[in-house]
Amino acid sequence: MEFLKNVLGDRYSEFETLIKTYNENPENKDKQVKIADLGSGQYVSKKKYDDAIEARDNYKTQFDTTSEKLKKFEGVDVDKIQKELTQLNLDLETERKNNQKREEEYKFSNDLETAIREAGEGTQKQSKES
């Protein structure tokens, strides 16, 4: 509070006594008056300081974790991976079309065999009836 002597002059001691009296009152135990020269930028509450330290530590941990994850991708050729992915997608589409074509051929073959068998059974019935 010494910095207030210049501001309050002769009334400084009166002000100091009022603040001390207030702070010494047991009813004011949880609401103490603290005077600081914030203009110098040197005062920060312990809670704000602890919160800033905790935030800094959290950011550092996040940064370190992210850096470790990024190291796994060092030397990865993204263009090569994209080309491989494009080729795999083309291969997959080709295989899908081939499977569809084989399925259609298989169905046609089954339908043809069924038609031949049914035609053969119909011919045998006609022979027996004659």
mmCIF file of all heavy atoms in Angstrom, residues 1 3 16 37 52 88 95 129:
data_model
loop_
_atom_site.group_PDB
_atom_site.id
_atom_site.type_symbol
_atom_site.label_atom_id
_atom_site.label_comp_id
_atom_site.label_asym_id
_atom_site.label_seq_id
_atom_site.Cartn_x
_atom_site.Cartn_y
_atom_site.Cartn_z
ATOM 1 N N MET A 1 0.817 -1.194 0.000
ATOM 2 C CA MET A 1 0.000 0.000 0.000
ATOM 3 C C MET A 1 0.862 1.260 0.000
ATOM 4 O O MET A 1 0.321 2.346 -0.110
ATOM 5 C CB MET A 1 -0.932 -0.001 1.209
ATOM 6 C CG MET A 1 -2.027 -1.048 1.114
ATOM 7 S SD MET A 1 -3.423 -0.908 2.243
ATOM 8 C CE MET A 1 -2.756 -0.400 3.771
ATOM 9 N N PHE A 3 2.527 2.642 -2.187
ATOM 10 C CA PHE A 3 2.382 3.465 -3.388
ATOM 11 C C PHE A 3 1.254 4.492 -3.243
ATOM 12 O O PHE A 3 1.219 5.498 -3.942
ATOM 13 C CB PHE A 3 2.158 2.595 -4.636
ATOM 14 C CG PHE A 3 0.842 1.865 -4.653
ATOM 15 C CD1 PHE A 3 -0.260 2.415 -5.303
ATOM 16 C CD2 PHE A 3 0.697 0.645 -4.014
ATOM 17 C CE1 PHE A 3 -1.477 1.759 -5.321
ATOM 18 C CE2 PHE A 3 -0.520 -0.016 -4.025
ATOM 19 C CZ PHE A 3 -1.610 0.536 -4.679
ATOM 20 N N GLU A 16 -5.035 3.620 5.804
ATOM 21 C CA GLU A 16 -4.377 2.386 6.230
ATOM 22 C C GLU A 16 -5.060 1.816 7.471
ATOM 23 O O GLU A 16 -5.309 0.605 7.557
ATOM 24 C CB GLU A 16 -2.895 2.662 6.501
ATOM 25 C CG GLU A 16 -2.101 1.419 6.852
ATOM 26 C CD GLU A 16 -0.627 1.725 7.081
ATOM 27 O OE1 GLU A 16 -0.289 2.846 7.523
ATOM 28 O OE2 GLU A 16 0.179 0.827 6.817
ATOM 29 N N ASP A 37 -0.792 -2.443 -6.546
ATOM 30 C CA ASP A 37 -0.544 -1.508 -7.645
ATOM 31 C C ASP A 37 -0.553 -2.317 -8.944
ATOM 32 O O ASP A 37 0.469 -2.837 -9.369
ATOM 33 C CB ASP A 37 0.799 -0.807 -7.450
ATOM 34 C CG ASP A 37 1.056 0.209 -8.544
ATOM 35 O OD1 ASP A 37 0.157 0.437 -9.378
ATOM 36 O OD2 ASP A 37 2.164 0.780 -8.544
ATOM 37 N N ALA A 52 -3.236 -20.367 -15.091
ATOM 38 C CA ALA A 52 -2.397 -20.161 -16.280
ATOM 39 C C ALA A 52 -1.356 -21.265 -16.400
ATOM 40 O O ALA A 52 -1.097 -21.776 -17.505
ATOM 41 C CB ALA A 52 -1.710 -18.796 -16.215
ATOM 42 N N LEU A 88 -6.959 -48.872 -56.273
ATOM 43 C CA LEU A 88 -7.737 -49.877 -55.531
ATOM 44 C C LEU A 88 -9.230 -49.707 -55.772
ATOM 45 O O LEU A 88 -9.959 -50.697 -55.917
ATOM 46 C CB LEU A 88 -7.429 -49.793 -54.032
ATOM 47 C CG LEU A 88 -6.070 -50.329 -53.601
ATOM 48 C CD1 LEU A 88 -5.810 -49.986 -52.140
ATOM 49 C CD2 LEU A 88 -5.973 -51.825 -53.823
ATOM 50 N N GLU A 95 -13.726 -55.570 -60.278
ATOM 51 C CA GLU A 95 -14.080 -56.857 -59.662
ATOM 52 C C GLU A 95 -15.588 -56.952 -59.433
ATOM 53 O O GLU A 95 -16.182 -58.013 -59.658
ATOM 54 C CB GLU A 95 -13.329 -57.019 -58.339
ATOM 55 C CG GLU A 95 -13.454 -58.395 -57.726
ATOM 56 C CD GLU A 95 -12.867 -59.499 -58.593
ATOM 57 O OE1 GLU A 95 -11.924 -59.235 -59.360
ATOM 58 O OE2 GLU A 95 -13.389 -60.628 -58.506
ATOM 59 N N GLU A 129 -46.596 -91.394 -74.010
ATOM 60 C CA GLU A 129 -48.015 -91.287 -74.313
ATOM 61 C C GLU A 129 -48.310 -91.835 -75.721
ATOM 62 O O GLU A 129 -49.415 -92.202 -76.009
ATOM 63 C CB GLU A 129 -48.457 -89.816 -74.205
ATOM 64 C CG GLU A 129 -48.457 -89.298 -72.790
ATOM 65 C CD GLU A 129 -48.787 -87.830 -72.724
ATOM 66 O OE1 GLU A 129 -49.038 -87.183 -73.744
ATOM 67 O OE2 GLU A 129 -48.793 -87.300 -71.590
#
